[in-house]
């Protein structure tokens, strides 16, 4: 092995969504970074549906933008259409979703990587970790090089011992057509990491010219300018559509008749598949009473005629896939360009990670993305961003950035993984977040941008633009709280159109805005003087005022819960010394090694009685060793 002449602060293994965010974050924070990617053309690759966002996922993208990440920029730069989801529901679950051009998205990340100061990129296949005395020293590659690094971030996606299944055919592979990483998983096991198997599925891709879209319902982009990024103006996108279709009883009959040819039914695959994005054969088996399932035909690029079938992932044989596809309305003459398939791969049990995403037993080694058992580009990018930040902070000798469950969806994501683990592909959902009214799309900047500024990811230009935005919103709120709007015939006609009571006497603008269905735009129209806020700023102000009572109540709940989060557990605590703990609880506490009493309470199988015993034990420790273990 040849030792490369330069030692890096951080080595990132992988060039997907997690790897790119990790490399960019660490480099932008001043660390010297080497990114090793087994195939540079796959940088920022979207092997599944090229869409970004959706409920909870869109929140992650917006939070990444507030911290100083890149995914929001890549999504906005490549969007073919974008729209709000869940608009009939409350602001906590409303989120953006964009259909992106997969090539433009990947090109954005590749250019960002190759242009970034402090960041070297190289096409190499990592085969081995270099670890001495429990501390990572670097990596070794297929081409005979050893690279030294003070920290290493593993973000290899689905490539670890990847195996693709299409009907009765199976072969070692990364995402279809790519080489897998076969030696690195063995190295991770050699160094004591517990590895498990998991799987994900994808759908057939169709040729646009073989589809009849005239009978299908189109779904276009929003008519108003929208963007994920906090740092750019929204855009209106035209010319591209998704089309709604449905499976039929004929589709379901074809699936049932061929289940014996499914690798899943034959028991060939070890790993669990995605619960919240099941294959079409899973849906037919689990919901036999349903006559059809909603599907979407979605474009993947401006530069080709490939169409993705959303909600139609499958691993059945190609001839069966052809029959299934041609049973769908609008697809009777469809030609399949790429078959659907399942891919099974190794992942690291995330219970072995700290909240910083650092491996507990190997100092300086971080894991991010699908190697931690997650699914989705957004979940991967969020973990990559946090891992890159924490690797750079470790090099600086500073404490890691750990986001709480009440601060960010990112905090919920990481806490779920390292506290509860996962046996199936983990997907971020709004229902996983107990404080989701506090973690909205519209306030991601308030929650996280100060942290991005503190660690060095937000420069003066971005920070000053945020300060100006906050001054405008805060100033307008002060004006609404102190200004009364007199009744008028025109105002009352507008209120009547909204099924809102007429004004009989002057009313505070803020009180008027608290009424259901009354928007900020209506009030600003009747207020003289100051220029109205932008639509995005007005929406943020409207949510703050209209839902203020609910927000205050949730903040009080968080304050009560945070008392348990403030109780730190000693790193060397001996759970066997605590009398009365259930054997299962003792085992799980020792494996997870929670950081706080609150985190201990979220471990599956640990009971409230266990937490009470643990609290009593900590109090006894305090009496013997004053203040140790608590803030």
């Amino acid at each position: 092995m040849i030792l490369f002449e330069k030692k890096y602060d951080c080595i990132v293994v992988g060039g997907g969504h997690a790897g790119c965010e990790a490399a960019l974050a660490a480099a932008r924070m001043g660390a010297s970074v080497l990114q090793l990617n087994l195939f540079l053309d796959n940088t920022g690759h979207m092997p599944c549906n090229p869409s970004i966002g959706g409920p909870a996922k869109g929140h992650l993208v917006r939070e990444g933008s507030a911290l100083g990440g890149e995914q929001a920029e890549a999504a906005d730069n490549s969007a073919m259409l974008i729209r709000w989801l869940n608009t009939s529901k409350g602001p906590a679950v409303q989120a953006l979703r964009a259909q992106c051009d997969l090539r433009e998205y990947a090109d954005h990340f590749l250019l960002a990587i190759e242009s970034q100061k402090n960041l070297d990129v190289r096409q190499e296949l990592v085969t081995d970790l270099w670890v001495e005395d429990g501390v990572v020293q670097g990596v070794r590659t297929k081409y005979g090089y050893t690279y030294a690094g003070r920290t290493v971030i593993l973000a290899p996606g689905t490539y670890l011992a990847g195996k693709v299944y299409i009907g009765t055919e199976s072969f070692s592979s990364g995402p279809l057509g790519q080489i897998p990483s076969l030696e690195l998983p063995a190295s991770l096991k050699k160094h004591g990491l517990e590895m498990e198997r998991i799987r994900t599925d994808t759908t057939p891709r169709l040729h646009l010219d073989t589809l009849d879209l005239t009978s299908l319902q189109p779904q276009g982009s929003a008519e108003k300018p929208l963007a994920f990024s906090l740092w750019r103006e929204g855009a209106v996108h035209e010319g591209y559509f998704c089309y709604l279709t449905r499976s039929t009883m004929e589709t379901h009959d074809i699936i049932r008749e061929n289940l014996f040819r499914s690798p899943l039914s034959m028991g060939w695959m070890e790993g669990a598949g995605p619960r919240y994005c099941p294959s079409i054969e899973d849906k037919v088996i689990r919901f036999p009473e349903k006559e059809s399932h909603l599907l979407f035909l979605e474009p993947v690029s401006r530069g080709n005629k490939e169409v993705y079938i959303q909600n139609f992932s499958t691993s059945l044989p190609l001839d069966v896939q052809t029959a299934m596809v041609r049973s769908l309305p609008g697809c009777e003459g469809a030609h399949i360009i790429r078959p659907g398939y399942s891919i099974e791969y190794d992942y690291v049990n995330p219970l072995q990670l700290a909240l910083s995403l650092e491996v507990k037993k190997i100092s300086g080694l971080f894991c991010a993305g699908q190697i931690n058992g997650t699914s989705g580009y957004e979940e991967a990018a969020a973990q990559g961003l946090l891992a890159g930040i924490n690797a750079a902070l470790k090099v600086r000798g500073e404490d890691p950035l750990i986001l709480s469950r009440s601060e960010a969806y990112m905090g919920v994501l990481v806490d779920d993984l390292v506290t509860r683990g996962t046996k199936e592909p983990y997907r971020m959902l709004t229902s996983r977040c107990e404080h989701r009214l506090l973690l909205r799309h519209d306030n991601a900047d308030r929650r996280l941008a100060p942290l991005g500024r503190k660690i060095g990811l937000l420069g003066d230009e971005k920070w000053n633009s945020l300060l100006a935005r906050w001054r405008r919103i805060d100033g307008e709120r002060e004006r609404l709280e102190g200004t009364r709007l007199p009744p008028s015939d025109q105002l009352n006609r507008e209120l009547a159109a909204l099924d809102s009571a007429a004004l009989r006497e002057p009313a505070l603008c803020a009180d008027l805005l608290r009424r259901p269905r009354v928007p900020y735009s209506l009030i600003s129209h009747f207020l003289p003087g100051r220029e109205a806020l932008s639509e995005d700023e007005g929406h943020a102000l409207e949510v703050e005022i209209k839902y203020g009572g609910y927000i205050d109540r949730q903040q009080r709940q968080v304050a009560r819960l945070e008392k348990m989060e403030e109780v730190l557990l000693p790193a060397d605590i001996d759970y066997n010394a605590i009398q009365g703990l259930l054997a299962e609880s003792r085992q799980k506490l020792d494996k997870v090694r929670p950081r706080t009493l609150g985190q201990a309470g979220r471990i599956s199988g640990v009971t409230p009685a266990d937490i009470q015993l643990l609290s009593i034990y900590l109090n006894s420790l305090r009496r013997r060793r004053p203040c140790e273990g608590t803030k």
Side-chain angles (χ1 to χ4, degrees):
M1 282 285 180
I2 303 168
L3 181 62
F4 192 67
E5 65 269 15
K6 181 177 179 180
K7 181 175 182 178
Y8 292 90
D9 292 326
C10 178
I11 297 173
V12 177
V13 180
H17 309 265
C20 287
E21 287 283 19
L24 289 168
R28 289 167 177 171
M29 290 174 65
S32 59
V33 178
L34 171 65
Q35 184 178 24
L36 297 173
N37 186 347
L38 59 79
F39 188 46
L40 284 182
D41 290 0
N42 278 353
T43 300
H45 185 42
M46 301 174 106
C48 201
N49 186 11
S51 70
I52 293 293
K57 290 171 171 282
H59 292 74
L60 289 174
V61 180
R62 185 73 163 187
E63 289 179 352
S65 179
L67 268 180
E70 192 67 25
Q71 187 175 52
E73 298 292 335
D76 289 337
N77 192 56
S78 60
M80 293 186 287
L81 56 149
I82 186 171
R83 58 190 300 120
W84 281 105
L85 301 184
N86 289 341
T87 53
S88 63
K89 299 180 180 179
V93 296
Q94 293 175 11
L96 287 177
R97 181 184 185 271
Q99 192 70 18
C100 297
D101 183 312
L102 56 81
R103 293 179 177 176
E104 293 178 8
Y105 181 94
D107 287 346
H108 178 98
F109 264 118
L110 182 59
L111 182 60
I113 290 291
E114 293 183 340
S115 305
Q116 179 60 48
K117 180 184 175 183
N118 301 326
L119 174 54
D120 296 337
V121 62
R122 198 164 188 174
Q123 182 168 304
E124 286 216 51
L125 177 60
V126 174
T127 57
D128 191 19
L129 279 182
W130 175 15
V131 179
E132 292 182 3
D133 299 323
V135 179
V136 75
Q137 303 294 326
V139 298
R140 301 182 179 93
T141 71
K142 191 78 170 177
Y143 301 157
Y145 270 95
T146 296
Y147 295 93
R150 298 172 67 184
T151 60
V152 172
I153 300 173
L154 297 178
T158 63
Y159 288 82
L160 294 185
K163 191 171 186 179
V164 160
Y165 294 85
I166 304 175
T168 58
E169 299 297 322
S170 63
F171 48 91
S172 293
S173 180
L176 190 56
Q178 306 301 321
I179 62 171
S181 173
L182 300 177
E183 294 167 282
L184 184 56
S187 174
L188 299 182
K189 293 174 184 175
K190 179 184 71 176
H191 290 293
L193 289 180
E194 179 187 333
M195 309 290 289
E196 299 181 18
R197 297 288 278 176
I198 206 167
R199 83 164 207 276
T200 189
D201 313 306
T202 189
T203 80
R205 271 66 156 189
L206 313 179
H207 195 295
L208 176 63
D209 292 346
T210 64
L211 306 179
D212 177 12
L213 304 176
T214 56
S215 62
L216 304 182
Q217 178 185 342
Q219 190 177 74
S221 192
E223 296 179 356
K224 296 180 179 180
L226 298 174
F228 283 104
S229 173
L230 283 160
W231 321 111
R232 66 162 66 200
E233 295 293 327
V236 175
H237 303 277
E238 298 178 343
Y240 291 90
F241 299 87
C242 296
Y243 291 86
L244 279 65
T245 187
R246 303 192 73 94
S247 63
T248 64
M249 289 303 294
E250 181 185 357
T251 314
H252 299 181
D253 288 341
I254 293 168
I255 291 170
R256 292 189 188 100
E257 290 166 4
N258 288 278
L259 282 175
F260 72 97
R261 301 174 66 190
S262 163
L264 184 61
S265 64
M266 289 186 284
W268 288 0
M269 294 186 284
E270 307 168 38
R275 178 188 301 265
Y276 299 103
C277 188
S279 67
I280 186 64
E281 48 263 45
D282 279 342
K283 293 176 186 176
V284 170
I285 294 169
R286 287 162 53 184
F287 307 105
E289 74 284 357
K290 296 202 71 170
E291 296 183 356
S292 69
H293 296 277
L294 181 64
L295 310 172
F296 295 87
L297 303 178
E298 302 178 329
V300 305
S301 175
R302 296 180 178 91
N304 66 28
K305 293 195 172 184
E306 198 168 314
V307 175
Y308 183 95
I309 316 178
Q310 175 75 345
N311 299 335
F312 202 71
S313 60
T314 181
S315 58
L316 285 165
L318 182 54
D319 62 296
V320 180
Q321 293 186 34
T322 301
M324 290 160 53
V325 165
R326 290 179 177 173
S327 70
L328 305 176
C331 302
E332 292 84 356
H335 171 70
I336 294 178
I337 295 177
R338 306 175 197 251
Y341 62 92
S342 284
I343 182 168
E344 190 176 51
Y345 54 95
D346 285 354
Y347 75 104
V348 170
N349 184 334
L351 294 177
Q352 300 167 97
L353 307 179
L355 286 165
S356 61
L357 295 179
E358 186 176 14
V359 175
K360 295 172 185 175
K361 63 175 64 175
I362 303 177
S363 177
L365 178 64
F366 296 79
C367 294
Q370 287 180 287
I371 190 175
N372 292 339
T374 60
S375 70
Y377 311 136
E378 303 86 353
E379 290 88 343
Q383 293 171 75
L385 178 58
L386 291 174
I389 289 170
N390 285 328
L393 290 174
K394 187 176 184 72
V395 169
R396 291 180 185 175
E398 299 178 18
D399 291 338
L401 175 64
I402 295 174
L403 300 173
S404 72
R405 298 181 71 91
S406 60
E407 281 182 295
Y409 271 87
M410 288 184 178
V412 176
L413 167 65
V414 173
D415 186 72
D416 277 353
L417 290 174
V418 308
T419 304
R420 297 169 178 166
T422 187
K423 296 292 184 182
E424 60 189 35
Y426 177 100
R427 177 176 179 166
M428 194 69 247
L429 305 168
T430 55
S431 59
R432 297 189 191 275
C433 177
E434 58 269 45
H435 310 301
R436 55 184 174 271
L437 187 55
L438 303 182
L439 309 183
R440 308 180 308 277
H441 173 99
D442 65 86
N443 72 345
D445 54 339
R446 298 264 194 179
R447 292 184 279 117
L448 297 176
L451 294 173
R453 174 66 170 177
K454 180 181 178 182
I455 60 179
L457 282 179
L458 296 184
D460 290 344
E461 183 179 353
K462 288 183 175 180
W463 181 244
N464 289 334
S465 73
L466 274 185
L467 292 178
R469 168 188 166 91
W470 296 340
R471 281 194 296 269
R472 288 192 297 271
I473 294 174
D474 293 344
E476 184 71 342
R477 175 164 191 163
E478 186 176 342
R479 184 166 74 126
L480 297 187
E481 296 282 8
T483 303
R484 293 184 179 274
L485 200 61
S488 69
D489 291 342
Q490 184 181 356
L491 174 59
N492 283 335
R493 282 195 298 271
E494 297 277 2
L495 291 174
L498 297 170
D499 291 328
S500 190
L503 282 187
R504 303 301 179 192
E505 57 186 26
L508 281 175
C509 295
D511 289 341
L512 196 57
L513 186 55
R514 290 186 180 98
R515 292 187 181 187
R517 296 181 297 280
V518 174
Y520 166 75
S521 58
L522 173 64
I523 295 170
S524 64
H525 176 74
F526 287 93
L527 265 182
R530 186 182 306 172
E531 182 180 350
L533 299 175
S534 69
E535 184 169 344
D536 186 51
E537 294 167 347
H539 174 71
L541 175 61
E542 182 178 325
V543 171
E544 286 179 9
I545 291 178
K546 199 177 290 289
Y547 294 89
Y550 299 103
I551 292 170
D552 289 344
R553 182 192 304 169
Q554 198 154 98
Q555 286 173 334
R556 290 193 296 271
Q557 293 171 349
V558 168
R560 289 194 295 269
L561 291 171
E562 281 183 347
K563 292 179 181 178
M564 289 182 66
E565 299 297 335
E566 292 175 355
V567 181
L568 299 180
L569 301 178
D572 60 350
I573 188 170
D574 181 7
Y575 292 104
N576 291 317
I578 305 175
Q579 295 183 358
L581 282 181
L582 294 173
E584 178 189 4
S585 302
R586 184 177 287 112
Q587 181 184 20
K588 290 186 174 181
L589 286 165
D590 191 56
K591 184 171 186 176
V592 175
R593 307 298 298 180
R595 182 172 177 267
T596 68
L597 190 62
Q599 186 187 1
R602 293 190 293 275
I603 298 173
S604 176
V606 175
T607 68
D610 294 322
I611 296 302
Q612 187 173 8
L613 289 170
L614 188 52
S615 180
I616 293 170
Y617 179 76
L618 291 173
N619 286 333
S620 70
L621 279 185
R622 268 202 303 273
R623 288 192 293 271
R624 295 199 302 268
R625 299 183 292 180
C627 299
E628 184 174 342
T630 61
K631 288 184 180 178

